[in-house]
Amino acid sequence: MVSIPDNLPPYVTFEAAARLLVELGIATHATGDTIRYMARTRDDWPFGPGDRLPYINIANARTMETGILLEYFRKHPPPTGVRGPDKKPRAKPGGAS
C-alpha cells in the first residue's frame, strides 16, 4: 500500500500529478502527456464533462482534485514498460537502408 503524505495540495495539474505518481511510487515513469493521454483514452477516467467530476481551472491550467486522482491511480495504475505505436518506422542502426 502506498503511503500518502498529509501535506498534498488540494488540486494538481497534469504535470504535477505525474510527478506525484512517481514520487509516491504509484508509477515508475509518468509525464503530463502520459496523464493527458490516459484522460483522453480511459473510459473510467473520473474527470471531465458529463457525469464526471469537473476540472478546476486555476491560472489557465486544468487541475484535478488530488485525493480523487490518487484514489483512481491506486485502483487503476498506469501500465509499466508499455510504449504506444511508432508514429514512423524506426531508422536502422548505422543509417543502413
Side-chain angles (χ1 to χ4, degrees):
M1 189 61 154
V2 176
S3 174
I4 306 297
D6 292 332
N7 60 346
L8 294 176
Y11 301 97
V12 290
T13 62
F14 288 94
E15 295 292 331
R19 283 191 306 272
L20 188 59
L21 292 174
V22 172
E23 287 173 13
L24 295 176
I26 296 172
T28 56
H29 174 78
T31 65
D33 287 338
T34 304
I35 307 301
R36 285 182 199 91
Y37 177 78
M38 286 187 241
R40 285 191 313 271
T41 60
R42 289 188 171 184
D43 292 334
D44 62 349
W45 183 253
F47 302 99
D51 292 336
R52 299 174 185 197
L53 298 168
Y55 289 108
I56 307 298
N57 289 321
I58 299 175
N60 294 329
R62 284 188 303 169
T63 66
M64 302 156 280
E65 289 186 54
T66 306
I68 293 169
L69 180 81
L70 292 177
E71 173 105 5
Y72 174 80
F73 277 108
R74 273 194 235 136
K75 292 179 182 174
H76 310 283
T80 58
V82 177
R83 294 184 75 232
D86 287 338
K87 293 184 179 171
K88 60 182 179 178
R90 293 180 186 230
K92 294 182 180 178
S97 41

